[in-house]
Amino acid sequence: MQTQKPLLPDGARRTAAWCGVVLLVAGVAAVGVWLCVIFKTAVTPVLLALLGTALLGPAHRRMTAHGVNRSVAAGLTCALLLAVVGGAGYIVVAALVDTGDQIVRSLKDAGQWVVDHFQVADDLSVDDLEANARKLVEKFGASAAGGLLTGISLVGSLIATSVLALLLTFFFLRDSDRAAKLAHTIAPRGTGDMVEAMGRRAFEAIQGFMRGTTLIALIDAVCITVGLLILRVPGAVGLGALVLVGAYIPYLGAFISGAVAVLVALADRGFVIALWALGVVLAVQVLEGHVLQPMIQSRTVQMHPAMILIALTAGASVAGILGMLLAVPLCAAAFGILGELRKGGGAEPRPPEEPA
């Protein structure tokens, strides 16, 4: 009896099957992003609390290992977070406020220097560039804030989100020992171990990003601030604060903060000092890329720069500046889950056949 030939060749059927899988995954991801945007008021504090839990987890575990009650340890850890973040935020804001006008003035002078020396255009004015840039920033900021804080005042929403994120961080730290049990409870039968492994892998990726990025940001900011102070660049402390904040946006933040530092040095100290400032920024970036990241940052968040830039672009298109801050850790967690799925979904190795 002759078997009926398939309508499509084997290669075409496999391609169609993979296309169906890709479409299904893309559809699920699109629905997930849409739901996150719809429920952004609840999703944003949860994501921020996860980042805070990943950063404070080691301190909480040390306290509980020394016999401190879990609730007391979680409360002390959250109080420490509030003190550190509040103090750092005050220092950064104060530094930027004190030197902000000087930095803006220096940037304007640097732009005029570039226009005069390179003859970009005869009818080009730095004042026009400043006005256009201000309109662009206002438009971008309005769209980003409008997408995140529709109908709510900015200050009130930030306070509410911060308080809710702090409370969620407390509960996540206190009840972290129940996460494995919860994973086995909600997972389908027989998949509890896989769900627990994926959750642990994703959290390790977020934890590695937060701890590594924070430490690297502090080292970068201190090194660049010291270098600018030695070169007597005005607004060095504010520029260092800008480097500290921008370090949480990989590549893009470092490029923008470094370019601002060089332009300020160019406007106030001349071309030679600007070259020295550029050398300081490049030296710090080389130190970060070849020494600090391999030594400090976890292997779980080592992604290709192209993937990081794509994640930043996608995060900015979905949630503006907040999306850029959350894009890389979430992308690292997704890659961790995919790696765990590949490890668990692989076929078992076949035993070697015995000789006849």
Side-chain angles (χ1 to χ4, degrees):
M1 183 177 180
Q2 294 182 352
T3 57
Q4 186 178 2
K5 290 185 177 181
L7 182 62
L8 295 175
D10 185 63
R13 285 187 286 116
R14 289 187 177 182
T15 303
W18 277 110
C19 290
V21 171
V22 171
L23 289 175
L24 180 62
V25 172
V28 172
V31 172
V33 172
W34 178 75
L35 289 175
C36 290
V37 173
I38 293 297
F39 299 103
K40 56 183 174 293
T41 307
V43 172
T44 302
V46 173
L47 295 178
L48 294 177
L50 284 176
L51 296 182
T53 305
L55 184 62
L56 300 174
H60 181 265
R61 287 193 294 269
R62 287 185 180 181
M63 291 184 184
T64 54
H66 286 80
V68 182
N69 182 270
R70 297 190 66 89
S71 298
V72 176
L76 291 176
T77 309
C78 290
L80 177 64
L81 173 67
L82 188 61
V84 172
V85 172
Y90 174 78
I91 293 173
V92 170
V93 172
L96 291 177
V97 169
D98 292 339
T99 60
D101 294 337
Q102 190 176 17
I103 292 175
V104 171
R105 194 184 318 113
S106 300
L107 289 176
K108 185 177 178 180
D109 295 340
Q112 189 64 52
W113 184 90
V114 172
V115 171
D116 294 339
H117 285 74
F118 292 95
Q119 298 180 354
V120 179
D122 295 335
D123 56 348
L124 185 61
S125 174
V126 176
D127 295 330
D128 297 335
L129 291 177
E130 181 185 4
N132 294 331
R134 186 173 299 174
K135 290 180 181 179
L136 181 62
V137 170
E138 290 176 355
K139 182 180 179 181
F140 177 76
S143 62
L148 291 172
L149 310 168
T150 304
I152 306 176
S153 64
L154 178 62
V155 176
S157 178
L158 287 177
I159 293 176
T161 301
S162 302
V163 171
L164 183 56
L166 186 64
L167 292 176
L168 289 174
T169 303
F170 170 80
F171 289 119
F172 288 169
L173 288 172
R174 190 192 67 177
D175 301 328
S176 58
D177 57 332
R178 305 179 185 177
K181 184 178 179 180
L182 178 63
H184 286 273
T185 301
I186 65 176
R189 183 174 300 177
T191 60
D193 294 336
M194 175 61 70
V195 173
E196 180 184 354
M198 289 190 299
R200 291 184 183 277
R201 187 70 176 82
F203 188 75
E204 287 175 0
I206 297 176
Q207 190 176 41
F209 171 82
M210 287 301 298
R211 295 172 62 184
T213 303
T214 302
L215 186 55
I216 291 173
L218 288 173
I219 296 175
D220 287 354
V222 170
C223 292
I224 290 181
T225 302
V226 171
L228 295 179
L229 286 175
I230 293 175
L231 295 174
R232 292 185 294 174
V233 176
V237 178
L239 294 172
L242 186 63
V243 171
L244 177 64
V245 175
Y248 285 93
I249 303 177
Y251 298 108
L252 185 61
F255 174 77
I256 294 177
S257 58
V260 170
V262 173
L263 288 175
V264 170
L266 175 64
D268 285 271
R269 299 286 293 154
F271 186 74
V272 176
I273 299 299
L275 289 179
W276 278 103
L278 178 62
V280 170
V281 172
L282 292 179
V284 171
Q285 295 302 318
V286 170
L287 176 67
E288 174 188 342
H290 293 82
V291 179
L292 297 180
Q293 284 188 351
M295 290 179 58
I296 297 175
Q297 207 161 31
S298 174
R299 297 272 182 193
T300 55
V301 294
Q302 295 298 322
M303 295 184 297
H304 195 274
M307 292 302 302
I308 293 179
L309 293 177
I310 293 174
L312 291 175
T313 305
S317 63
V318 172
I321 298 177
L322 182 61
M324 296 177 69
L325 294 174
L326 297 175
V328 177
L330 292 180
C331 189
F335 273 98
I337 293 175
L338 291 177
E340 196 65 36
L341 284 174
R342 289 187 60 186
K343 186 191 304 182
E348 294 292 334
R350 299 177 63 181
E353 297 181 357
E354 295 182 0

